[in-house]
Amino acid sequence: MKKNILFVMPSLSAGGGEKSLVNLLSQIDYDSYNVDLFLFHKAGLFINSIPKEVNILELPANYRKFKQEVHESIRLFLKAGQFNLACFRLMFTLINRVIKNSTKAEQTAWKYVSPSFDNLEKEYDVAVGYLEKSSIYFVVDKVNSKKKIGWIHTNYSNSGMDYHYDNPFFKQLDYIVTVSEECANSLRETFMHLKDNVRVIYNIVSPRIIKSLSNIEINYDIINRKNHINIITIARLSHEKGIDIAIDACKLLIEKGHKVNWCVLGEGNEREQLEGLIERSGLTNNFKLLGTKENPYPYIRNADIYIQPSRYEGKSIAIDEAKILHMPIIVTNFKTAKDQINNGENGLIVDLNPQAIVAGVEKLSQDISFKEKIINNLSKEKLGTEEEINKLYEIL
């Protein structure tokens, strides 16, 4: 008898959590499991990568109204006599305008968006909120399931999330899954009464697929400019990813006489701010925001150095992918950096400032024997994590 599993996710936009879900779904044994997927927004870069066996659920009518622009949403609710939902839609908008911290805003706003969702009729054996905040709240409040799992893709201590808001939801979960030992320690320290429920399942990556996709042709002139240090970063354009620090590092490299071509793959709410910083720094020809790419691997393979300048991370899928492609890597010293990089052996861990990043770039660019040692060590690592799916089966 097949088990029925539900995964809940806001969307399949370009992010580490979203890519992690697609990779996980590609590994599931569909002879043993029926899988439904509930998305708050049926869109995103990875929507076409979902396996055909996965059933994507339809959105409820009231939530479709709720998603409309605020004036249209309120008009539709008032026309239907749904005055409470009209008020909730207004409150949802006000909260997102007043609370500048997007994490706290999403938490606070849940009680207003929640009434627009119906409880799902189907009963599941397991329901998984695959991203922190709303996905988990939905599983707790709206799903009838024998077992409930929340998946945290970041270091909770640095996430800005409100413990007091999450605690009542987390207490109703059978398991809290996270992506690294450092992230697990953070959860156990924060939710000591739930520490026995915390499990680690690493993000699933497939070297075979990544290496194959990396050979697809692109316009190599974008990423591989002759006589330049060609750098690649994959990250959301948001504060925690440190792209502003990368821009400052690029400026310092140019001032020191280096020719630099630094490309960033990703989108986010800081694009306009970062574009302004690039222009003010005189780096329009050296630092490029290329947007999201469904296949980032040719860009990684054709660069010289991969840099992750983050202020904090959970466990970066992009770093694992760069390792699979044997790319010399520089990461900043966020808490979970040592989960993926052994400093001086398979990459460099540097302090979180532009000067330290510059020193790392110069080390990898000028010390050829050191760079070759890094590449050689990466070539010997076992980097596939497909077997992590077995840890999920154990708790299912």
Side-chain angles (χ1 to χ4, degrees):
M1 185 96 171
K2 285 187 176 184
K3 285 193 172 184
N4 294 311
I5 308 176
L6 172 72
F7 289 91
V8 178
M9 194 74 170
S11 74
L12 288 174
S13 61
E18 291 81 357
K19 180 177 283 190
S20 171
L21 176 59
V22 170
N23 291 344
L24 185 151
L25 292 174
S26 72
Q27 297 294 321
I28 283 182
D29 176 9
Y30 290 100
D31 291 330
S32 301
Y33 300 98
N34 296 313
V35 177
D36 287 351
L37 175 62
F38 188 90
L39 299 170
F40 299 163
H41 306 282
K42 289 175 68 174
L45 187 68
F46 301 122
I47 194 76
N48 296 323
S49 301
I50 294 296
K52 65 181 188 305
E53 295 88 350
V54 175
N55 175 42
I56 302 180
L57 301 180
E58 291 298 319
L59 291 170
N62 283 337
Y63 183 66
R64 290 201 300 271
K65 294 179 192 173
F66 200 96
K67 283 176 55 184
Q68 301 289 326
E69 291 292 331
V70 58
H71 297 297
E72 177 64 9
S73 177
I74 291 172
R75 185 188 72 79
L76 291 171
F77 284 134
L78 291 176
K79 184 179 178 181
Q82 297 170 297
F83 302 112
N84 283 346
L85 285 174
C87 290
F88 290 149
R89 182 63 179 89
L90 179 60
M91 287 301 300
F92 177 84
T93 301
L94 291 174
I95 283 167
N96 280 282
R97 289 179 180 174
V98 171
I99 301 178
K100 300 304 181 185
N101 182 312
S102 61
T103 296
K104 295 281 177 62
E106 183 178 344
Q107 290 183 295
T108 305
W110 172 251
K111 67 180 177 182
Y112 298 108
V113 68
S114 175
S116 69
F117 289 113
D118 301 322
N119 285 18
L120 298 187
E121 293 181 4
K122 183 175 178 179
E123 180 180 350
Y124 291 91
D125 294 292
V126 183
V128 182
Y130 200 74
L131 199 66
E132 50 273 4
K133 296 171 288 190
S134 297
S135 301
I136 294 174
Y137 309 153
F138 182 93
V139 162
V140 170
D141 286 348
K142 302 296 179 179
V143 181
N144 180 14
S145 178
K146 295 172 185 174
K147 191 175 287 187
K148 296 186 177 184
I149 299 170
W151 215 291
I152 308 295
H153 290 265
T154 189
N155 186 311
Y156 195 91
S157 303
N158 297 332
S159 67
M161 286 183 274
D162 183 350
Y163 159 89
H164 298 288
Y165 192 92
D166 279 335
N167 188 47
F169 290 97
F170 284 13
K171 286 165 70 173
Q172 297 180 69
L173 298 172
D174 295 279
Y175 295 100
I176 305 169
V177 174
T178 192
V179 295
S180 76
E181 292 298 338
E182 186 70 34
C183 291
N185 291 336
S186 173
L187 284 166
R188 291 180 184 122
E189 290 168 6
T190 308
F191 299 91
M192 292 189 65
H193 55 299
L194 301 175
K195 62 182 180 181
D196 292 338
N197 295 347
V198 176
R199 297 290 186 275
V200 175
I201 299 179
Y202 296 120
N203 291 318
I204 292 174
V205 291
S206 169
R208 179 184 59 81
I209 293 172
I210 289 169
K211 288 177 181 177
S212 173
L213 290 172
S214 74
N215 291 317
I216 292 175
E217 293 290 320
I218 60 168
N219 179 3
Y220 297 119
D221 292 340
I222 296 173
I223 186 61
N224 200 321
R225 287 170 66 182
K226 191 175 181 180
N227 299 322
H228 283 63
I229 303 171
N230 294 288
I231 301 171
I232 185 76
T233 294
I234 300 178
R236 281 191 314 278
L237 306 184
S238 55
H239 177 74
E240 69 271 17
K241 297 300 183 180
I243 305 303
D244 55 321
I245 300 170
I247 294 169
D248 289 341
C250 184
K251 184 179 180 182
L252 282 176
L253 284 164
I254 298 293
E255 289 172 351
K256 294 185 74 173
H258 299 289
K259 292 182 177 180
V260 180
N261 178 42
W262 196 326
C263 296
V264 178
L265 305 186
E267 275 299 344
N269 56 16
E270 286 199 348
R271 171 176 273 276
E272 187 175 339
Q273 177 183 335
L274 293 170
E275 286 176 335
L277 180 56
I278 291 167
E279 188 171 349
R280 289 192 301 275
S281 301
L283 298 175
T284 51
N285 291 322
N286 304 97
F287 200 101
K288 302 165 189 170
L289 306 179
L290 299 182
T292 55
K293 304 293 180 184
E294 187 170 358
N295 179 10
Y297 308 121
Y299 295 86
I300 299 174
R301 185 173 66 83
N302 286 280
D304 300 311
I305 300 171
Y306 182 92
I307 298 182
Q308 198 75 44
S310 302
R311 290 179 167 90
Y312 66 87
E313 286 279 349
K315 188 170 188 289
S316 168
I317 292 180
I319 291 173
D320 283 341
E321 292 169 339
K323 288 169 69 178
I324 285 168
L325 294 173
H326 305 162
M327 181 59 49
I329 298 168
I330 298 171
V331 300
T332 45
N333 194 20
F334 45 84
K335 275 193 173 182
T336 57
K338 293 181 179 66
D339 285 346
Q340 293 174 279
I341 297 296
N342 183 5
N343 188 34
E345 296 300 321
N346 63 355
L348 281 176
I349 300 176
V350 302
D351 289 340
L352 182 60
N353 61 66
Q355 294 79 8
I357 293 173
V358 167
V361 171
E362 290 180 329
K363 174 71 172 173
L364 285 173
S365 300
Q366 296 168 3
D367 190 339
I368 303 303
S369 62
F370 177 73
K371 181 177 179 179
E372 288 176 349
K373 183 186 87 168
I374 296 289
I375 293 170
N376 185 52
N377 288 343
L378 286 169
S379 71
K380 295 174 181 177
E381 280 194 39
K382 181 184 178 298
L383 295 167
T385 55
E386 295 95 333
E387 72 280 355
E388 289 295 297
I389 194 70
N390 295 318
K391 293 182 183 177
L392 179 61
Y393 292 154
E394 286 176 15
I395 64 175
L396 292 185

